[in-house]
Amino acid sequence: MLELDKIIHQPVRTKIMAYLSSAKECDYTTLRNSLELSDGHMSTHMKELVGCEYVEMEKSFVDNKPKTTYRITNKGRKAFATYVTVLKEIISTT
Amino acid sequence: MAQQIERDEALRQIAEIASVIKSSNTLSFPGRSVLALGIGVLFVPLIEYPTQRLTFGYDFGDNYLIALAIIHVVFYFFYFNGIRFAIRKLFNEDPAAESHPLLARSLAMERPIIVAIAGSILVLVPIGQGHLAYPFVFILLGILFNLYGRLSRPVIFYISWSYIFLGFLYAALSVYQSHEMWLPFNTYMGLTLIVMGYSAVKGKSAS
């Protein structure tokens, strides 16, 4: 049986993981604008991804303004690679 | 909890992932700013002639060429940056905030290019080689837009090559010492900047 990661297998979270797997790290505003997400969507799904340690978050100050940067972890990278592999297997076996 | 999905859904997911990765590798070209800069370039002759090349007829004596170079660099730095600043504020256009972080860094390439353009004018005009300043501007902008074009829209890439070729053509033709030769080149630059800007704005609204 081919199993998909439940955390990643959600449209918004898939997009976030795809983006971060390519960009390595990204700040909140860039990620939100690039994926055209609302603040509500962003915080909900980022909380989930950070909670399962697929993504790590870093808060800092740049020019006296708070900046949140997200970075994909090794665990997240492996999980996303596995997710894509499973998708490919589903396509090739069905 | 384990999940099973159908082939169609898997295909959709793969397409979505590919689309996100592709979009994350595309530079958000500042279309409105470039379009406005193109209009600004077309206005340059209307600034240069009535102001007698920005000198207002003032006699700088032996320092004429040095003064001419400094006045032009300072004036056009504020002129073009003013246009860009106004457009960015007006339309909230920030390409760095809409691009992949690594691509956003490539936008910083414009800084050494602007310094190189200013440096070319400041060096070439005082030594009496001012006729080569505009070809330098074309070639340096060609290199900058070539980079942007590779990361964004093909039309920008093709126009960038025309800038490089026209830069060399201008330099070759400068032996004829024509004082009006910069006009058709200036018009070409203004119009192509408008085309590049319009293409980026149109492309963005269509996507």
Side-chain angles (χ1 to χ4, degrees), chain B residues 29-42 145 152-160 162-163 186-204:
Chain B
F29 190 73
R32 288 188 179 86
S33 298
V34 172
L35 199 154
L37 288 174
I39 296 168
V41 167
L42 291 176
F145 284 120
S152 56
R153 307 188 70 76
V155 66
I156 296 164
F157 177 73
Y158 297 127
I159 290 174
S160 77
S162 76
Y163 280 17
N186 187 81
T187 307
Y188 178 79
M189 183 182 283
L191 292 175
T192 46
L193 285 172
I194 290 171
V195 168
M196 289 193 282
Y198 179 72
S199 152
V201 172
K202 199 181 164 200
K204 201 169 185 180

Side-chain angles (χ1 to χ4, degrees), chain B residues 9 12 16 21 25 27 38 40 48-50 61 68 87 106 108 132 143 152 165 174 180 182 184 191-192 194 198 205:
Chain B
E9 198 183 337
R12 265 200 303 277
E16 183 69 37
I21 291 173
N25 287 321
L27 184 74
E48 288 284 320
Y49 286 113
L68 200 63
I87 296 298
S106 73
L132 292 176
I143 292 168
S152 56
F165 288 126
S174 67
E180 314 302 335
W182 68 280
L191 292 175
T192 46
I194 290 171
Y198 179 72
S205 63

Side-chain angles (χ1 to χ4, degrees), chain A residues 30-45:
Chain A
T30 307
L31 194 58
R32 185 197 59 194
N33 292 349
S34 301
L35 298 178
E36 295 174 342
L37 300 174
S38 66
D39 284 324
H41 266 101
M42 269 288 285
S43 53
T44 306
H45 294 294

Side-chain angles (χ1 to χ4, degrees), chain A residues 1-4 6 9 14-15 18-19 21-23 25-26 29-30 33-35 80 83-84 87-88 90-91 94, chain B residues 1-7 9-11 13-14 16-17 20-21 23-25 96-102 105 207:
Chain A
M1 182 184 285
L2 300 167
E3 294 178 5
L4 284 163
K6 188 192 168 193
H9 189 56
T14 307
K15 280 185 178 182
Y19 194 97
S21 74
S22 166
E25 66 172 47
C26 193
T29 312
T30 307
N33 292 349
S34 301
L35 298 178
F80 186 67
Y83 178 75
V84 173
L87 283 178
K88 286 177 179 170
I90 290 169
I91 293 165
T94 53
Chain B
M1 196 180 88
Q3 268 187 311
Q4 261 195 308
I5 61 168
E6 297 297 324
R7 186 171 184 271
E9 198 183 337
L11 279 168
Q13 285 290 86
I14 289 279
E16 183 69 37
I17 290 166
V20 169
I21 291 173
S23 70
S24 78
N25 287 321
E98 296 166 9
S99 300
H100 185 299
L102 293 175
R105 282 189 212 167
S207 62

Side-chain angles (χ1 to χ4, degrees), chain A residues 46-62:
Chain A
M46 290 315 299
K47 204 177 282 179
E48 189 104 14
L49 291 169
V50 170
C52 68
E53 296 176 345
Y54 284 177
V55 172
E56 58 187 20
M57 179 178 69
E58 185 186 319
K59 286 185 180 286
S60 59
F61 278 88
V62 177

Side-chain angles (χ1 to χ4, degrees), chain B residues 38-126:
Chain B
I39 296 168
V41 167
L42 291 176
F43 272 96
V44 169
L46 300 176
I47 296 168
E48 288 284 320
Y49 286 113
T51 61
Q52 296 177 51
R53 302 181 76 188
L54 298 174
T55 65
F56 294 94
Y58 185 82
D59 182 13
F60 290 98
D62 292 341
N63 297 320
Y64 176 71
L65 290 177
I66 296 170
L68 200 63
I70 293 171
I71 289 168
H72 275 79
V73 166
V74 172
F75 176 79
Y76 285 113
F77 177 82
F78 285 108
Y79 176 66
F80 288 119
N81 271 313
I83 292 174
R84 208 165 59 156
F85 180 78
I87 296 298
R88 283 190 180 179
K89 283 285 168 196
L90 206 61
F91 295 100
N92 203 18
E93 188 176 70
D94 184 0
E98 296 166 9
S99 300
H100 185 299
L102 293 175
L103 298 184
R105 282 189 212 167
S106 73
L107 285 169
M109 174 75 178
E110 71 180 37
R111 290 176 201 156
I113 295 283
I114 289 168
V115 170
I117 288 172
S120 309
I121 296 167
L122 287 171
V123 169
L124 292 171
V125 175

